[in-house]
Amino acid sequence: MRGILGAVTVCALALTVGAVPAAEADDATTSTTSAADAAGWATRLDRPGTEESGTRISAVGGVTYAAATTGQGRDRDVVVARLDAAGRVQWTREGGTARGDVVTDVVARPDGVLVLSDTVGADPEGYDGYTVTRYDAAGEHLWTRTRSHDGFMVGLAVLDDSYYVVGQRGGAPVVVRLALTDGEQLARSAAPGPIGVTSWQSVAVLRDDVVVLGAAASAAGGSDGRRMGLSRLDGRALTRDWSVAVDTAADDYPARVRVRDGRVLVAGLSIVGGDPNSQEYAMAVGAYSSDGTRQWLRRFGSGAVDGYVDLAATPRGPVVFATATTLFGDLVGMTLYPFGQDGTPRERVAVGGEYPRATGGSVEWDDVAGLLVAGTDLDDTFGPSVGDAEAFVVQAQPAGAPAVRRGVRVTLAPARAVVRPGDVRAVRARLVNAGSAATRLRVQGCTPGRGVVVRAYAGGREVTGAVRRGTWRTGSLAPGEATALTLRITARAGTKPVRVPCRVTVRDDAAPTAPRATASDAVQILVRAARRR
């Protein structure tokens, strides 16, 4: 439904919430219950016959606000939903201007929510303007402000009695501070700064100041290379405290800045192979102290990222969110890449398995709601329900849930095997899942040579070839559960006395990224001379 500037209409959504009892949502919004996601609840914001895209989320105190763009072209509006700690939708609102609006950011507060959207063609000179809409916690519309001369704005933050929007206009970076009560402008900065920032992408609050992350020219000043720029600005006057270049020695593009416990976290995209037209990206993530000192910076990823990257600041460290594609553009799902406080990569996590063609979206950490992921499911876009793309929110990890601990053990017994030509000696390999979650173990065995032959058997079935290649896997093992592999050792006729080791290595098959849980053990094989007849 199209509203005039500042008008707000109630929209009815077909909602599916996992792992919670069905409940009536406010304002005739319906809610049904489906099977629980393994991690937590999952909620779909589905308006039949329409599209929702570009979902952004923000959460505080267990309450999550999801904002998405609905419709196409100049018929695009902004739809906002409030979800409780169990993922149940409490109310939804739809609004926008008469020109068409695209959601770019959202900020949750204890007393409500602010939504930032790009307003197409709001400036008489042809520039896009921006619109900020504020609702209270009950869903009452407080105000909407559209500014047609400040440019394209994509980042939003709130500090005390002010809110901040950041973006660019005419190739210059723009930061605007406005009054939270009525949306009136209080301060504005458009200075590029010493590192040549051309646009700001994201903003976050750091004590009484704000930090902004943007795109800057290359260190050499060329037009092809890009890097990220990070600045700290005074929260009132927007004067610059410090600026640093976030440079991974690749072409880098900013995605998000977050602040946690006084530390600044950043994430972005890096061009693979230096060709922006390749549409292949790696990712970058880093941490900076409050004075701009770099603590660590990592570039990682396979180049299969489709350009949607976001960042959450959790108590354990930053989590990078990305949706990925194949080289042919096929969507292959959403992934979380967690890092420790020191930048050590942890096990990556695939999320939103019920949305196999998910794209876009954002990630958010709330100390009550936990780790939340939002996106758009395109599964039905080219099917019977053409154009019915669905926005969704998934609780990827409940707050307080223990982190999955990965661990494996392998023990070979006996530790020494004496064999003569023509004899067979058996060694038992005991494989244990020492982690806190069910998993399968991948095993790689030895090929000692020098006349010694080792064959592997599992449950009476020979699996020698797979074990040698490192492709043999156990069945699923519960935490603490063990299984066994039998190694049968023989020495060919004529083999001379020799001592050779046979090492077996076991890996947790559910941990595809470093640090991977790995263990190994070895048996010493002693070949003796054949017995005399």
Side-chain angles (χ1 to χ4, degrees):
M1 290 175 280
R2 165 63 51 190
I4 61 172
L5 175 62
V8 181
T9 55
V10 176
C11 56
L13 304 182
L15 300 159
T16 303
V17 182
V20 296
E24 282 295 317
D26 186 26
D27 297 319
T29 299
T30 59
S31 177
T32 58
T33 303
S34 68
D37 181 84
W41 49 261
T43 300
R44 292 195 300 177
L45 310 176
D46 180 20
R47 304 172 67 226
T50 65
E51 288 189 348
E52 293 82 41
S53 62
T55 313
R56 300 290 182 265
I57 52 173
S58 183
V60 60
V63 175
T64 303
Y65 291 92
T69 303
T70 180
Q72 295 180 340
R74 288 188 176 270
D75 290 328
R76 288 178 295 195
D77 280 325
V78 174
V79 59
V80 185
R82 173 184 161 116
L83 287 68
D84 65 15
R88 293 171 294 210
V89 174
Q90 297 179 311
W91 52 255
T92 60
R93 300 291 185 267
E94 183 179 341
T97 71
R99 295 180 178 272
D101 301 273
V102 178
V103 171
T104 55
D105 210 352
V106 58
V107 172
R109 291 172 44 84
D111 60 357
V113 62
L114 280 81
V115 181
L116 172 65
S117 58
D118 173 46
T119 301
V120 178
D123 192 299
E125 299 177 11
Y127 290 106
D128 286 1
Y130 69 91
T131 298
V132 178
T133 302
R134 184 181 180 190
Y135 301 91
D136 68 14
E140 291 297 321
H141 174 249
L142 300 179
W143 49 256
T144 294
R145 296 289 183 270
T146 296
R147 303 188 69 86
S148 62
H149 60 278
D150 275 330
F152 177 56
M153 297 299 188
V154 292
L156 177 67
V158 176
L159 171 61
D160 297 331
D161 59 354
S162 303
Y163 71 93
Y164 304 80
V165 293
V166 301
Q168 64 90 20
R169 185 180 191 274
V174 177
V175 184
V176 184
R177 172 177 162 246
L178 305 103
L180 189 59
T181 53
D182 56 12
E184 291 303 311
Q185 180 172 304
L186 302 175
R188 185 175 187 272
S189 171
I195 55 175
V197 171
T198 57
S199 66
W200 296 121
Q201 178 68 26
S202 181
V203 58
V205 172
L206 177 60
R207 301 189 180 100
D208 295 329
D209 296 335
V210 293
V211 286
V212 284
L213 179 70
S218 67
S223 60
D224 294 333
R226 292 290 183 269
R227 57 180 176 166
M228 295 181 279
L230 179 66
S231 293
R232 179 173 180 172
L233 309 178
D234 178 81
R236 310 301 288 182
L238 301 183
T239 54
R240 183 173 286 102
D241 184 3
W242 50 256
S243 296
V244 296
V246 182
D247 195 347
T248 68
D251 283 351
D252 300 317
Y253 293 83
R256 178 76 76 170
V257 60
R258 301 277 194 183
V259 173
R260 176 97 193 184
D261 301 326
R263 189 164 67 156
V264 182
L265 305 172
V266 299
L269 288 169
S270 293
I271 299 295
V272 173
D275 179 10
N277 297 319
S278 68
Q279 297 183 340
E280 291 186 69
Y281 302 92
M283 290 162 282
V285 61
Y288 290 76
S289 61
S290 60
D291 63 0
T293 302
R294 189 174 81 179
Q295 297 177 345
W296 54 265
L297 184 62
R298 303 279 185 270
R299 184 172 183 262
F300 69 101
S302 64
V305 180
D306 65 6
Y308 291 100
V309 170
D310 200 7
L311 175 69
T314 79
R316 299 186 64 204
V319 175
V320 178
F321 162 79
T323 53
T325 62
T326 67
L327 292 177
F328 300 100
D330 298 323
L331 293 166
V332 294
M334 305 182 297
T335 305
L336 297 173
Y337 298 86
F339 291 80
Q341 298 285 10
D342 61 354
T344 301
R346 304 202 310 269
E347 177 189 349
R348 71 185 183 191
V349 180
V351 293
E354 61 271 55
Y355 306 111
R357 286 180 50 78
T359 186
S362 58
V363 64
E364 171 83 344
W365 171 266
D366 175 63
D367 289 340
V368 177
L371 191 62
L372 307 170
V373 170
T376 302
D377 181 24
L378 304 179
D379 193 45
D380 293 330
T381 302
F382 305 105
S385 303
V386 175
D388 195 17
E390 299 175 354
F392 62 84
V393 182
V394 173
Q395 186 187 40
Q397 177 186 324
V404 174
R405 175 176 49 83
R406 300 291 178 182
V408 297
R409 288 199 305 271
V410 55
T411 305
L412 301 184
R416 179 182 177 188
V418 179
V419 63
R420 300 176 187 273
D423 291 346
V424 178
R425 291 290 181 265
V427 173
R428 184 173 182 267
R430 187 171 185 267
L431 317 172
V432 183
N433 174 15
S436 61
T439 188
R440 301 175 72 177
L441 305 183
R442 187 181 294 269
V443 180
Q444 184 166 18
C446 64
T447 54
R450 303 178 71 175
V452 178
V453 178
V454 178
R455 298 189 179 278
Y457 295 83
R461 181 171 62 90
E462 185 173 2
V463 292
T464 302
V467 169
R468 288 177 179 173
R469 294 189 299 270
T471 59
W472 184 79
R473 299 186 301 170
T474 68
S476 180
L477 300 177
E481 186 177 359
T483 189
L485 194 67
T486 299
L487 305 179
R488 296 180 182 175
I489 303 170
T490 60
R492 294 191 179 96
T495 300
K496 296 180 180 180
V498 68
R499 179 195 298 264
V500 292
C502 175
R503 181 168 296 277
V504 174
T505 300
V506 180
R507 294 180 175 86
D508 179 4
D509 196 52
T513 59
R516 174 176 286 182
T518 303
S520 63
D521 195 13
V523 57
Q524 293 295 326
I525 302 173
L526 281 73
V527 179
R528 301 298 193 198
R531 294 184 177 88
R532 295 182 179 179
R533 297 187 181 274

